Amino acid sequence: MEADPHPLVSYVAVCGLDEDRSFEPIEQDASERPPLSWTFPADVICHWPEDREDEPFNAPAVVTLASPEGVSFTTRSRAPDCPTFHTLVITREDGHKSYGVALEIFQLVTDQKIKSSFKSVQDIWKIEHSVEPPDNDALLWQPEEDLLLSKVLVLIMEGPFVTFGREFLEQIASCFNLPQ
């Protein structure tokens, strides 16, 4: 069976934290603030399909436009009430446009490697800034709290189907391990 040359959705992607990257914040002055206020570089962590002959997947453009501020950690008590949504347009050198929609969600961190890495970064920050346990209100994560990490769900499409894209991404998001 031959693939449709003009599908409604060209790609589905997820942008998030690459677990193999070091936990280096994007901002130069981040070390002055607690790690829960830092943002980290985002990467395309998966996408489908792998590639299309007529429209190769442009990971740098997708991550730059879908997650321009990177990814961040938060706790359940500080998490936003609802996902954030935005649109994007990728224009190739030949003038061809692809339209996209992006939905940022916060997902519960269950990976012990990520939790341990974040705790290490936070512990180093606390030592460098002489933060004592009573100063817990300074945006610090307590291991007994749920740690959440942002991810961005992305649809790349041939047309600007914003309402469809938003509803589709919200349906996908409902399958993730999201905080209640």
Side-chain angles (χ1 to χ4, degrees), residues 9-14 46-49 57 154-156 168-169 172:
V9 175
S10 301
Y11 290 99
V12 177
V14 178
C46 65
H47 68 87
W48 181 88
F57 186 74
V154 186
L155 288 184
I156 303 298
F168 186 79
L169 289 179
I172 292 174

Side-chain angles (χ1 to χ4, degrees), residues 5 10 18 22 30 39 48 52-53 57 66 94 99-100 106 140 162:
S10 301
D18 181 350
S22 65
T39 56
W48 181 88
R52 293 181 45 219
E53 270 184 44
F57 186 74
D94 64 2
Y99 301 86
F106 280 88
L140 298 177
V162 176

